[in-house]
Amino acid sequence: MAAVTSPRCGLGFRTLSAGRTFKDAEGRGPDQSIIDPKAGTTALSVSGPDRDLRPLRGKPTRCGSAPRGEKGQLGMVEVSAGTIVVYTDVACGWSTLALDRFYRARARTGAQDKLRVDLRLFALEDVNRFPIPKRYLDAEIPVIGALEPDFGWKLWQNDISTWPNSTMLANEAVHAAKRQSLRAAEELDMAIRRAFFCDSGRIDLLHELIDIATRCPGVDEAELAVALDTGVARGEMMREYHAHRDKVQGSPHFFLGDGSDVHNPGIQLHWVGEPGEGFPVIDADDPQTINRLLDHALTIAR
C-alpha cells in the first residue's frame, strides 16, 4: 500500500536537514522512522505504512505546501530555556493525545514550573488548503479515543451545520493567551481542545472562546478579549508559522532545546483507504515515549 502523504494531523513529510532526532540514554527514539543511520545523509520520513528511511532524491513537496529549500535555508527552531516547543493545531486529535499525555506525565513528576510548553501554530487548514473535514475526525476519534479513553472523546453531537469552519481564531486565542504567560496558553489550549473534542463546542466563535477562557484560572479573559478584538497576537503567530512551516513534519511536532525533535511521539499509524473514506490503524503505540521525552527535556532544562 502506498504511503499516505496528506499533511494533516499525525501525517506528512519532513527533510532532516538540521537538528538531531531525540533518543534517550538507551538509544530509543520516540519515532524510530526519523533516525537516519547514515551520518550526513538527508532522509525522508514518512508517518504512514512505509516508515523505512531512504535517501532523499530531488525536492519533496507536501500537499498544499511549497517545495522545500536547499539544506540550510530553513531557520532553526529557537527553544528557550525551560521550555519545549510544540507545533500543533487545536483541532488535531493526535496532538491533543500527545499533549494530554505530556501534561499528565509532567504533573506526576511535579515539574510544571520547571518545564513549560511553548505552543506554536501548524495551521492544518492552511497546509491542507481546506478546513478540517468532519468525516476525517469521525474516523480518527474512535481510534485515538481507544488509546486514552478517559479523556472523554466524543463524536460531534450537534447539528452538522454547526461544525467549525475554521480553527484560526481558536489558535489565535491560544497565542493571545501566550502573551500573558506560557501557563495561560497551555490552559486555554487544552480547554479549547476539550470543548471541541468532548463537548462539541463552537470553537470558531469569539464569544465561545471567551467563555472557555473564564474556566481557565491562569487566563485573564478580559485581556484576552481585547487581544482578540485588536488582533495583536495574529501577526506574530503567522510570521512564526510561515518562517518554520516547512521544517515541521505535522501536528504534533516537538522540538527540544538541544536541537532534537520528534513528530507524533510514540505513535506509528497508517490509513486504510483514502483519508475521509477509510480509517487510521495504529501500528504501534508506546505511551512511555512521552515519559522519556519529558525526562530528556528536563535534563536539558537543568
Side-chain angles (χ1 to χ4, degrees), residues 82-96:
T83 72
I84 183 169
V85 168
V86 181
Y87 283 87
T88 179
D89 189 296
V90 294
C92 173
W94 303 105
S95 63
T96 301

Side-chain angles (χ1 to χ4, degrees), residues 170 187-196 199 201-217 219 221 224:
E187 287 185 8
L188 184 60
D189 176 79
M190 189 52 70
I192 291 172
R193 293 172 189 272
R194 288 189 177 278
F196 180 59
D199 300 326
R202 289 294 306 272
I203 61 171
D204 56 337
L205 298 179
L206 177 60
H207 72 272
E208 290 284 350
L209 293 169
I210 299 304
D211 285 347
I212 293 170
T214 64
R215 303 193 289 272
C216 300
V219 178
E221 64 270 20
L224 179 72

Side-chain angles (χ1 to χ4, degrees), residues 161-172:
S161 65
T162 63
W163 179 261
N165 59 14
S166 173
T167 62
M168 200 60 76
L169 183 62
N171 284 305
E172 181 182 352

